[in-house]
Amino acid sequence: MAQWTSAVGPAQLARLLTSQQERPAGPGTRRPPAYRALADGIRLLVLEGRVPVAARLPAERELALALSVSRTTVAAAYETLRTEGFLESRRGAGSWTAVPAGNPLPARGLEPLPPDALGSMIDLGCASLPAPEPWLTRAVRGALEELPPYAHTHGDYPAGLPALRAMIAERYTARGIPTMPEQIMVTTGAMGAIDAICHLFAGRGERIAVESPSYANILQLMRETGARLVPVAMAEGLAGWDLDRWRQVLREAAPRIAYVVADFHNPTGALADEDQRRRLVEAARSAGTVLVADETMTELWLDDDVEMPRPVCGFDPAGSTVVTVGSASKAFWAGMRIGWVRAAPDVIRSLVAARAYADLGTPVLEQLAVNWLFSTGGWEQAVALRRAQARENRDALVGALRRELPDWEFSVPRGGLTLWVRAGGLSGSRLAEAGERVGVRVPSGPRFGVDGAFEGFVRLPFTVGGAVADEAAARLSAAARIVETGGTVGAAEGPRTFVA
């Protein structure tokens, strides 16, 4: 019986492998043999989760044709992977990916490191900051005071607590977008909201247009639902959306859903202007596409002179095109798993009805805590604290990178939590692997793309500052040297415990 659970076609694997561009070797640098380079490339794809464990690989002859190499090269690469524990084979069943015994299964998303690993590893994988105290503690205490009446009920509120739905609706109205509580559903974080939207609108095999690059965890969520992702390239730097490309994709591919982050885009930090928002909504309406606008970063402007455009839903007064997703997790704290959907009442009713077969509802105590923050002014003060911390971290990280890695290119965003960095011609996948060896965890660019795009990039979040940002940049510089030279970690470059 075959041990593989999925398959990777030769053309797909070839695209993923050829995306791993490396800097040309310098004088005296020895290039690895072709079979070794191929084995390393497949191993990196497995370690990053971009090729799943237990995925059947193409036959040797098929992959050789796709890569324009000899079958002997592919056979030697497969044998190397079998020796290292990254491939298993059985006559008649083919070969499938594996991980060596004792190795953790690779994550396909951007899971944070466990707290006990943070002493020796600087985690730049997760774009989340510690809670803005004392506001978390105050919010929980306020929620406990409000809890007794709810404790005498069944506790199931599929659409969310009425008080919180009304409060969120009031906040949209205050932003110039008249909203009724019937247009709000409270969810378990933004991920829960988008998962529900995808299941409602986009069945297996449906097309979903996504920005390229886009948020890695959302891309993986959409893949898991069986969607066919249609990437739409972002404009250069912080210029936002390329509307000509969007119009073409919406017209020709007719995706059921388009997912966008207009406010301090993750990972680039771009802020779409009002004209871009208006034109994208018009294009989506003409194509019959549901436009899902992710507003999780909308309150995280970091420079005082930033003028925020109207929300995307402000250009859809009939409410027939735009579905908006918000969350407390980025602006407040990732541990506060409260999100929401704003949409037409009939869409909300459909989402609520479908929820009976998913998670039933969102924890009451956390909803009460967010409602306390909204109703007391604590939210504004907590978010102001969050902005100040992120701004300080951004400036520290930018300064450290410019000192340690002057060849790396990036545009400094005016909000959000992430820096999108072109890594001086190096492979982001190989930097991520080398970074683990020297004590800095960083996600590679291809995690934020489709089919191997953005190999030359890494994403760096504004989660560390001061001396830790300096140390993170130094470790990234050490990782870059390893990738450039094809060398190994020396004693001076190994990970060391660092106390902030």
Side-chain angles (χ1 to χ4, degrees), residues 144-453:
L144 288 171
E145 292 177 0
E146 299 292 331
L147 183 61
Y150 295 94
H152 294 292
T153 73
H154 49 64
D156 287 335
Y157 297 89
L161 294 184
L164 181 55
R165 296 176 72 195
M167 183 61 68
I168 294 170
E170 287 181 18
R171 292 175 66 83
Y172 276 106
T173 300
R175 293 168 66 190
I177 314 297
T179 303
M180 304 178 295
E182 292 79 10
Q183 293 177 261
I184 302 295
M185 182 178 83
V186 180
T187 62
T188 307
M191 292 288 289
I194 293 170
D195 182 57
I197 293 166
C198 287
H199 279 92
L200 178 63
F201 287 107
R204 182 166 293 276
E206 292 276 6
R207 294 184 180 92
I208 299 180
V210 295
E211 297 152 325
S212 184
S214 187
Y215 178 36
N217 286 340
I218 293 295
L219 294 180
Q220 189 57 35
L221 181 155
M222 291 175 175
R223 292 187 186 103
E224 297 291 342
T225 67
R228 297 163 60 190
L229 301 185
V230 182
V232 186
M234 297 285 288
E236 286 296 317
L238 300 177
W241 299 323
D242 185 326
L243 267 299
D244 290 337
R245 289 175 176 169
W246 269 107
R247 277 194 296 267
Q248 179 181 2
V249 167
L250 293 176
R251 182 177 61 250
E252 296 178 357
R256 187 70 183 90
I257 291 176
Y259 168 77
V260 296
V261 185
D263 301 319
F264 309 118
H265 175 260
N266 184 354
T268 68
L271 177 65
D273 61 33
E274 290 208 0
D275 183 58
Q276 289 176 323
R277 295 169 192 237
R278 178 186 299 104
R279 292 163 62 195
L280 185 56
V281 171
E282 291 172 353
R285 184 183 298 116
S286 297
T289 297
V290 175
L291 185 61
V292 180
D294 185 333
E295 287 193 337
T296 53
M297 298 283 188
T298 193
E299 296 191 64
L300 289 176
W301 64 84
L302 303 184
D303 297 330
D304 293 336
D305 59 345
V306 173
E307 294 187 11
M308 292 300 296
R310 277 189 292 166
V312 175
C313 59
F315 300 95
D316 180 37
S320 59
T321 300
V322 178
V323 175
T324 302
V325 172
S327 172
S329 298
K330 292 298 185 185
F332 185 75
W333 183 47
M336 188 66 76
R337 303 304 305 159
I338 298 295
W340 52 86
V341 178
R342 181 200 180 274
D346 63 316
V347 172
I348 295 297
R349 286 193 295 270
S350 297
L351 289 169
V352 171
R355 196 170 196 180
Y357 309 101
D359 65 352
L360 294 178
T362 303
V364 169
L365 189 63
E366 291 186 31
Q367 292 187 71
L368 290 172
V370 171
N371 193 59
W372 183 91
L373 288 165
F374 285 158
S375 61
T376 62
W379 177 268
E380 284 71 24
Q381 296 184 66
V383 173
L385 183 64
R386 169 68 76 239
R387 289 191 200 107
Q389 185 179 14
R391 182 187 310 114
E392 182 178 334
N393 289 353
R394 177 197 64 180
D395 295 346
L397 181 63
V398 166
L401 288 174
R402 285 175 171 163
R403 288 193 303 273
E404 295 284 347
L405 294 154
D407 292 339
W408 287 21
E409 303 171 37
F410 51 85
S411 298
V412 181
R414 307 195 68 193
L417 290 172
T418 57
L419 195 66
W420 186 237
V421 181
R422 190 188 300 272
L426 301 179
S427 160
S429 299
R430 297 181 188 279
L431 278 168
E433 183 192 37
E436 294 274 356
R437 294 154 62 189
V438 299
V440 59
R441 181 173 180 256
V442 56
S444 66
R447 287 182 176 268
F448 304 88
V450 177
D451 278 347

Side-chain angles (χ1 to χ4, degrees), residues 127-147:
S128 299
L129 290 162
E133 290 288 26
W135 297 106
L136 174 62
T137 299
R138 292 179 182 177
V140 173
R141 287 173 178 166
L144 288 171
E145 292 177 0
E146 299 292 331
L147 183 61

Side-chain angles (χ1 to χ4, degrees), residues 41-100:
I42 294 174
R43 178 174 53 83
L44 276 174
L45 293 173
V46 174
L47 287 172
E48 285 208 319
R50 290 170 17 202
V51 168
V53 175
R56 187 180 186 275
L57 295 186
E60 294 171 2
R61 187 184 302 277
E62 293 175 340
L63 186 58
L65 287 171
L67 293 173
S68 299
V69 299
S70 71
R71 183 177 176 180
T72 302
T73 296
V74 177
Y78 277 15
E79 181 58 33
T80 299
L81 291 168
R82 278 190 286 269
T83 301
E84 295 175 347
F86 286 95
L87 196 69
E88 296 181 10
S89 303
R90 180 175 300 168
R91 184 178 297 275
S95 299
W96 57 91
T97 56
V99 292

